[in-house]
Amino acid sequence: MTHPLPGLLLDAARGRPPAPDGAVEVLAPLPGPVDAVLAFTAHHVVVAGVDPALVASRLPPGDLAAPMGPAFLSWLGARLGSRPGGQDVVRPAEGRGGRPPLELLPVADPAGHPRAAMALRDRTGVQAWTDPRRAGMLLLGAGLAGRRELAFEVEPAWRNRGLGRRLAAAARHLTPPGEPLFAQVAPGNAASLRAVLAAGFRPLGAEVLFHRTP
């Protein structure tokens, strides 16, 4: 892709995030189903078809929280004819390759699973696996700006046993060594946050996606 966002995300995942300069960049919209607002430390990126001067006019000078605040996100959604999704914490980790830490079975047709349906809405090339007890599901696919993303789900009866952590760790083994893999987790989802943290995914920033109306 010639769009600057893929390179920005890869640099940030490899320890070179945007400078904490208080700036709000506005980038052209990406191909695909979503627009986005991304938050790094004291630096925001709006990826949407909107006038940068108009964006600046909606943000109080010096308010570093405003680009992820309800007022701006609601305004942007109205401009785009969309609605802001939930805010997610973004955590990348490098792929490890090699054998995953638990046995995984490919899921031939994941579309019927609710978690897979969400992944298929936002990602392409989705692959899915489950453990032998079918207690959890792991999904990998290409998401925002083509980055590698994971999603996982653990059945309620099997939660609090470390399966989420092992699924997140397995995703790193299913990713080529050194290649970034991204996890997006809602801030209130403490169980998933603990799982990805234990699997080595480190905090990078936050984001809100806007799904375009077909």
Side-chain angles (χ1 to χ4, degrees), residues 62-209:
D63 187 346
L64 295 179
M68 295 296 275
F72 177 75
L73 295 174
S74 296
W75 170 83
L76 181 59
R79 293 287 303 181
L80 299 174
S82 181
R83 293 171 57 187
Q87 186 173 148
D88 284 331
V89 177
V90 180
R91 290 175 174 263
E94 290 188 346
R96 289 178 169 172
R99 188 185 181 102
L102 77 164
E103 183 180 357
L104 292 174
L105 305 174
V107 176
D109 183 17
H113 192 283
R115 183 67 188 187
M118 292 177 59
L120 290 165
R121 182 186 68 167
D122 296 339
R123 303 176 179 95
T124 59
V126 173
Q127 296 176 286
W129 295 264
T130 187
D131 63 288
R133 295 177 176 174
R134 300 190 179 277
M137 177 174 280
L138 171 65
L139 302 109
L140 296 177
L144 181 67
R147 68 188 179 189
R148 289 184 176 89
E149 297 179 356
L150 82 151
F152 60 92
E153 181 76 21
V154 177
E155 294 296 327
W158 291 91
R159 291 173 185 170
N160 299 311
R161 304 187 189 189
L163 180 56
R165 171 183 53 78
R166 286 181 285 151
L167 288 169
R172 298 184 64 185
H173 288 273
L174 296 170
T175 301
E179 291 298 314
L181 174 65
F182 290 81
Q184 299 88 249
V185 184
N189 190 345
S192 290
L193 284 172
R194 288 194 298 266
V196 296
L197 179 62
F201 289 79
R202 59 194 181 278
L204 177 63
E207 69 186 26
V208 173
L209 302 183

